[in-house]
Amino acid sequence: MKNLMAKNIFVKFLKSADIQINGERPWDIVINNPNVFKRIAYGGSLSIGESYVDKWWDCENLDQLFERIFKNNLNAKLKNRIPIWSSLVMSKKTTLMSKKKSYLLAKSHYDLGNKLFFAMLDKRLNYSCGYWKYARTLDDAQEHKLDLICRKLNLKPEMNVLDIGCGWGSFAKFAAEKYNVNVLGVTVSKEQQAFAKDSCKDLKVKIELKDYRDIKNKFDRVVSIGMFEHVGLKNYRGFMEIVNNCLEDDGIFLLHTIGRNISSQNVDAWIEKYIFPNSMLPSPIHITSACEKLFVIEDWHNFGQYYDNTLMAWYENFLNSWEILKDDYDETFFRIWKYYLLSCAGCFRARINQLWQIVFSKHGIKWGYNSVR
């Protein structure tokens, strides 16, 4: 496809979303290399991100740009207009997420260095969506999220709680401090485990470097926050079976996960390559199919709109901390991380992806479950 032809196609579709080429508004695109249209036409979403990182194009407010792209469904429109686009814009996930791959994911993303995440996240180091209903700051939103989970789990003193994918131990520490429970947190990230063990050393908390498939004990409560996105479609049923085996008969399981509106095995090709390799987002039917005959769904809470607030807060922290980060990360990393955070913020603002907290019981809670908000 010739560059002029590609440019004319993109100009037409961008205009339909009120996006101009070399316009003056913060969501307009500034072209630095005229060959960018041909590159994107042949490379799909992978080349959109890569050409941005390479400075072939720029935009003052990427979050506003992507909000318009997603709201106007430009991806689907371009698939119909540029046949090659449909095969390159997404990467199909057909492989099983093995234990080995889960550890490689941790090494490629979560072990990028605690300095980065300490600068970007809240004081408790939550790397998942905050609950902004009553909050004005990131710290408050994440504290409210943790307390919301504890209340949904109906935690009681001395309960044994399993935290699958415990990250830097934010939930484990909060639950042990505030609700006097015993917590086992498991993670496949060495960086996270080392920090969480030290952070929780004076509490009734154990942090183990372990894949969820190696858990054998029984627990009163099980929680998984922001980890299910890395399980993989072919492992969803197995994940639910493991949780079922680990949970006491009268126990409660809470799953906190990003989800998508439409069932698909595809992931964004740029996110797959540069941010979260070997990951995909579940749809409602993926989850309900995986838990059938294993669990009763007691509550399904969607607050995906708050991931926009969370991502924008992370971006502001990242931007404001760049002076202390740039000695360890180069300008290419800066543009990758900026593109990641702001494109995802635009996606959630357009409500393409969601954030679900789902409460499960094994046999149904007698007299019913009291939903907590």
Side-chain angles (χ1 to χ4, degrees):
M1 177 176 287
K2 294 182 178 180
N3 193 61
L4 180 59
M5 182 185 301
K7 179 180 179 180
N8 290 337
I9 292 171
F10 282 110
V11 168
K12 175 184 176 181
F13 284 110
L14 290 171
K15 185 178 180 180
S16 71
D18 192 28
I19 301 166
Q20 296 178 6
I21 301 295
N22 295 325
E24 298 180 350
R25 298 167 303 178
W27 60 84
D28 287 332
I29 294 174
V30 176
I31 301 302
N32 301 319
N33 187 322
N35 293 316
V36 69
F37 302 105
K38 183 178 179 181
R39 180 178 179 181
I40 293 174
Y42 280 100
S45 69
L46 180 61
S47 288
I48 295 176
E50 288 182 338
S51 59
Y52 172 80
V53 173
D54 292 342
K55 300 183 181 180
W56 284 33
W57 65 274
D58 223 315
C59 175
E60 182 179 345
N61 289 355
L62 285 169
D63 55 304
Q64 295 182 27
L65 168 66
F66 280 98
E67 178 189 7
R68 283 164 173 76
I69 288 174
F70 290 124
K71 273 188 175 180
N72 289 275
N73 202 22
L74 292 193
N75 182 54
K77 293 176 182 177
L78 284 165
K79 284 183 182 180
N80 294 330
R81 187 64 180 84
I82 306 176
I84 194 172
W85 179 275
S86 62
S87 64
L88 292 171
V89 79
M90 304 295 278
S91 172
K92 190 165 185 178
K93 300 302 297 177
T94 57
T95 57
L96 194 68
M97 184 59 157
S98 65
K99 291 181 185 180
K100 181 179 180 180
K101 286 182 178 178
S102 69
Y103 283 95
L104 290 175
L105 167 63
K107 186 174 180 62
S108 67
H109 187 91
Y110 296 101
D111 289 344
L112 279 170
N114 284 341
K115 183 177 179 180
L116 167 66
F117 294 105
F118 291 175
M120 187 179 82
L121 304 179
D122 65 295
K123 64 183 180 182
R124 286 187 176 271
L125 299 176
N126 290 272
Y127 196 21
S128 57
C129 182
Y131 190 59
W132 293 81
K133 185 175 182 179
Y134 308 108
R136 294 185 178 275
T137 68
L138 179 63
D139 284 342
D140 286 346
Q142 296 293 12
E143 189 104 353
H144 292 181
K145 184 265 299 292
L146 294 174
D147 194 61
L148 180 71
I149 292 171
C150 291
R151 289 184 291 123
K152 286 182 176 183
L153 288 169
N154 193 20
L155 294 184
K156 304 297 182 185
E158 300 304 326
M159 278 186 170
N160 295 313
V161 181
L162 171 64
D163 181 1
I164 301 176
C166 65
W168 290 275
S170 56
F171 170 81
K173 186 175 183 178
F174 182 91
E177 286 177 339
K178 306 293 185 181
Y179 287 84
N180 192 27
V181 294
N182 308 293
V183 185
L184 171 63
V186 297
T187 176
V188 292
S189 165
K190 292 181 179 179
E191 291 267 3
Q192 290 181 337
Q193 185 212 16
F195 178 86
K197 283 183 69 174
D198 183 66
S199 178
C200 300
K201 63 185 177 183
D202 297 323
L203 299 167
K204 293 181 290 186
V205 174
K206 292 183 179 179
I207 306 293
E208 297 182 358
L209 189 68
K210 179 181 288 186
D211 187 273
Y212 70 91
R213 283 159 285 206
D214 295 324
I215 301 168
K216 306 297 181 184
N217 300 348
K218 286 282 189 180
F219 299 87
D220 301 300
R221 301 289 188 263
V222 177
V223 63
S224 182
I225 306 169
M227 175 271 181
F228 196 67
E229 300 90 332
H230 307 305
V231 168
L233 177 62
K234 293 182 179 180
N235 287 330
Y236 289 163
R237 181 68 178 183
F239 177 90
M240 291 293 183
E241 289 172 344
I242 288 167
V243 173
N244 184 274
N245 289 334
C246 289
L247 190 64
E248 297 285 1
D249 283 348
D250 60 349
I252 296 174
F253 164 45
L254 184 143
L255 179 67
H256 173 117
T257 183
I258 299 172
R260 67 173 80 191
N261 297 331
I262 300 171
S263 297
S264 173
Q265 295 185 47
N266 294 331
V267 298
D268 180 85
W270 188 86
I271 292 289
E272 159 74 11
K273 182 175 180 179
Y274 291 99
I275 306 299
F276 294 117
N278 300 312
S279 63
M280 66 168 289
L281 301 182
S283 70
I285 197 170
H286 287 152
I287 294 172
T288 57
S289 297
C291 73
E292 190 170 329
K293 297 183 180 180
L294 295 173
F295 290 109
V296 174
I297 296 176
E298 300 285 358
D299 189 49
W300 195 308
H301 184 187
N302 183 357
F303 52 90
Q305 73 276 15
Y306 294 147
Y307 231 135
D308 178 16
N309 307 64
T310 305
L311 284 154
M312 293 305 296
W314 289 345
Y315 173 68
E316 288 301 317
N317 286 345
F318 173 70
L319 188 64
N320 293 334
S321 302
W322 183 245
E323 283 299 314
I324 63 173
L325 292 172
K326 65 182 183 181
D327 290 339
D328 299 287
Y329 305 93
D330 60 17
E331 186 179 2
T332 296
F333 181 86
F334 176 83
R335 289 183 72 86
I336 288 174
W337 217 248
K338 179 180 179 180
Y339 186 88
Y340 153 52
L341 294 172
L342 294 183
S343 63
C344 288
C347 179
F348 280 99
R349 195 176 305 161
R351 301 309 305 276
I352 298 302
N353 289 338
Q354 311 303 325
L355 188 285
W356 300 319
Q357 282 189 353
I358 311 169
V359 177
F360 303 84
S361 67
K362 291 178 77 168
H363 306 293
I365 296 173
K366 191 175 182 180
W367 314 120
Y369 177 80
N370 293 320
S371 298
V372 179
R373 297 291 185 267

